[in-house]
Amino acid sequence: PEDLRMRLEQTVRTLLESDAALSALLPGGIYDAEEMDRDNWTLQNVQRAPSGRLLPFAVLRWGGDVPGGGLNTSGRVTLDVWLYEDSGFANIRPAMERVRELLHLRSFSTDEKSVARGMWLGGLGEGVADELGKASRNRARIQFTYAWRT
């Protein structure tokens, strides 16, 4: 159900935002793509250090739900964690590893009737974000399988 999905998204975001190690690697913050205005997302909208360098940050982008089988009491959804930094991968590489440590094979119970479990699907590969002036980027993909009792 939709409320399960919303609770899972909030639970995962809270976990990532509250992790001290990940926060230290991503001082520019963690954002949900749904809260961002893609048409106006430019170099001026991202956080920068006083030197003008882009502060490393992450954007969470959830995919669509895929129903499970049976009585429609299960399904799965993917989460892409896009990681960016001004240049190089000094923060992106350990942030990718930290995201994996936090979410891979971890179970989440969002209420007394539902459970979700994360599975690391890997990274996209290191590359360049043209939309951010050739900033460095990578993407971690996690699939969550969930079930609930009616």
Side-chain angles (χ1 to χ4, degrees), residues 1-17 30 32-35 60-65 77-79 103 108 110 116 144 146:
E2 191 163 318
D3 59 329
L4 167 63
R5 163 75 181 259
M6 288 174 30
R7 286 192 309 270
L8 176 61
E9 288 180 15
Q10 186 57 50
T11 299
V12 168
R13 182 174 180 178
T14 299
L15 173 70
L16 296 176
E17 288 178 334
I30 298 174
D32 188 311
E34 292 297 314
E35 298 170 352
L60 309 179
R61 185 175 303 281
W62 291 86
D65 288 291
V77 62
T78 57
L79 167 64
L103 301 178
F108 298 89
T110 58
F144 292 91
Y146 57 84

Side-chain angles (χ1 to χ4, degrees):
E2 191 163 318
D3 59 329
L4 167 63
R5 163 75 181 259
M6 288 174 30
R7 286 192 309 270
L8 176 61
E9 288 180 15
Q10 186 57 50
T11 299
V12 168
R13 182 174 180 178
T14 299
L15 173 70
L16 296 176
E17 288 178 334
S18 65
D19 184 74
L22 189 60
S23 293
L25 292 166
L26 302 172
I30 298 174
Y31 304 93
D32 188 311
E34 292 297 314
E35 298 170 352
M36 300 174 76
D37 180 357
R38 288 286 293 170
D39 294 331
N40 294 315
W41 192 44
T42 66
L43 287 170
Q44 290 75 33
N45 298 100
V46 295
Q47 291 191 36
R48 296 188 168 276
S51 66
R53 293 181 57 86
L54 180 73
L55 290 174
F57 69 100
V59 176
L60 309 179
R61 185 175 303 281
W62 291 86
D65 288 291
V66 177
L71 301 173
N72 198 26
T73 57
S74 66
R76 61 186 186 277
V77 62
T78 57
L79 167 64
D80 289 336
V81 181
W82 288 92
L83 301 160
Y84 301 93
E85 70 180 282
D86 196 77
S87 63
F89 296 89
N91 288 56
I92 289 176
R93 288 179 185 138
M96 288 275 290
E97 180 60 23
R98 188 65 185 147
V99 168
R100 188 190 65 74
E101 290 169 357
L102 290 169
L103 301 178
H104 180 59
L105 299 181
R106 183 172 188 146
S107 294
F108 298 89
S109 180
T110 58
D111 62 24
E112 68 280 351
K113 292 184 176 183
S114 60
V115 66
R117 185 170 174 93
M119 172 67 71
W120 176 261
L121 298 181
L124 174 68
E126 295 175 350
V128 173
D130 292 326
E131 70 275 16
L132 291 174
K134 307 269 188 224
S136 301
R137 65 105 182 104
N138 202 344
R139 180 205 70 205
R141 179 166 281 177
I142 301 94
Q143 178 176 275
F144 292 91
T145 302
Y146 57 84
W148 67 91
R149 292 192 314 255
T150 55

